[in-house]
Amino acid sequence: VFMSRKRFLRLSGGYCAVSGSPVSPSDATRYKLRLDRVDGSGKQTGFMYYCCWPCVCDTQDFIRVDTKTIRTADGSDQYMVAVIGNPCDHESELTKPF
């Protein structure tokens, strides 16, 4: 059983893109950003919701945009999604001071 596309989109704005903290989607929590695409083909502009401004900075440093096909009760659609790379791919970087 899949949820409707409308419900999926509504729930997608209900949490901070970095911390996962619940947020109330509104003008006060929505930020317009331009992030690099994972495939290196340029930047993608979109809106994301946040609990605080430090999470906006973390997004610009660590999050990239990829595509994902998501199936809902209304069918499958391709979405632009925020992704964070696997830190274990470059394990030596985990001990570098920041």
Side-chain angles (χ1 to χ4, degrees), residues 38-52:
V38 168
D39 64 8
S41 66
K43 296 203 176 262
Q44 180 68 41
T45 301
F47 293 93
M48 297 173 78
Y49 294 92
Y50 296 95
C51 61
C52 61

Side-chain angles (χ1 to χ4, degrees), residues 17 35 38 48 50 59 63-66 79-84:
L35 300 175
V38 168
M48 297 173 78
Y50 296 95
T59 295
I63 294 181
R64 302 295 174 256
V65 178
D66 203 353
Y79 293 92
M80 297 291 183
V81 296
V83 296
I84 299 174

Side-chain angles (χ1 to χ4, degrees), residues 1-60:
V1 179
F2 295 94
M3 69 177 75
S4 69
R5 179 181 298 121
K6 183 177 179 178
R7 184 173 188 198
F8 168 73
L9 292 173
R10 184 172 38 86
L11 291 174
S12 295
Y15 58 91
C16 174
V18 174
S19 71
S21 298
V23 298
S24 296
S26 69
D27 290 344
T29 59
R30 183 178 54 235
Y31 291 77
K32 184 177 182 180
L33 299 167
R34 284 180 46 82
L35 300 175
D36 291 326
R37 294 183 183 150
V38 168
D39 64 8
S41 66
K43 296 203 176 262
Q44 180 68 41
T45 301
F47 293 93
M48 297 173 78
Y49 294 92
Y50 296 95
C51 61
C52 61
W53 67 264
C55 286
V56 177
C57 296
D58 286 347
T59 295
Q60 293 170 337

Side-chain angles (χ1 to χ4, degrees), residues 65-85:
V65 178
D66 203 353
T67 56
K68 173 79 175 159
T69 300
I70 298 174
R71 185 173 160 194
T72 66
D74 304 302
S76 295
D77 291 294
Q78 192 172 54
Y79 293 92
M80 297 291 183
V81 296
V83 296
I84 299 174

